[in-house]
Amino acid sequence: YEGYVPMAEKELRKLCKEANEKYPSIEKIATVHILGDCPVEAASVILCASSPHRRDAMHCVEFLIDELKAKVPIWKREVYQDGEGESVWKENVEWFEGKQRRVMVKASDDENAQP
């Protein structure tokens, strides 16, 4: 994962504030997103919300992950070990004609080159 850290931190704080406004029963929120390499099957995002009402906490976490993926400037590059060393930049949720969709962009040969 790569990201623009100053803006990502600002956006995460903003999302927490929005979540508190949308779900006033939430008492505490924690958000963490890994940058750098993340092994397959390892958690890359941790979101927590505490509330006297579990439904509010679950909806809050759902709101946070959807908004994080749509707004926070963190990008994922998947590298495949198929012998060819190909990689794909996976973009977050994008809007197209009023619908959410996922977009994958194959990296160019220049981006796959080893330094």
Side-chain angles (χ1 to χ4, degrees), residues 65-82:
I65 191 65
D66 289 344
E67 295 298 305
L68 182 150
K69 293 181 101 15
K71 295 179 179 176
V72 178
I74 296 174
W75 306 278
K76 180 179 181 181
R77 182 175 189 174
E78 290 189 352
V79 179
Y80 302 101
Q81 295 181 350
D82 61 359

Side-chain angles (χ1 to χ4, degrees), residues 5-20:
V5 175
M7 187 171 192
E9 289 175 346
K10 179 182 174 185
E11 289 299 316
L12 284 173
R13 283 188 190 95
K14 190 170 150 184
L15 285 179
C16 290
K17 184 178 178 186
E18 289 175 18
N20 273 127

Side-chain angles (χ1 to χ4, degrees), residues 44-93:
S44 59
V45 179
I46 299 171
L47 302 169
C48 306
S50 66
S51 170
H53 310 288
R54 71 171 180 239
R55 190 169 310 277
D56 288 348
M58 290 187 296
H59 288 304
C60 179
V61 169
E62 182 180 30
F63 168 80
L64 287 168
I65 191 65
D66 289 344
E67 295 298 305
L68 182 150
K69 293 181 101 15
K71 295 179 179 176
V72 178
I74 296 174
W75 306 278
K76 180 179 181 181
R77 182 175 189 174
E78 290 189 352
V79 179
Y80 302 101
Q81 295 181 350
D82 61 359
E84 297 179 29
E86 291 189 16
S87 64
V88 173
W89 281 105
K90 291 184 93 173
E91 296 184 21
N92 290 333
V93 174

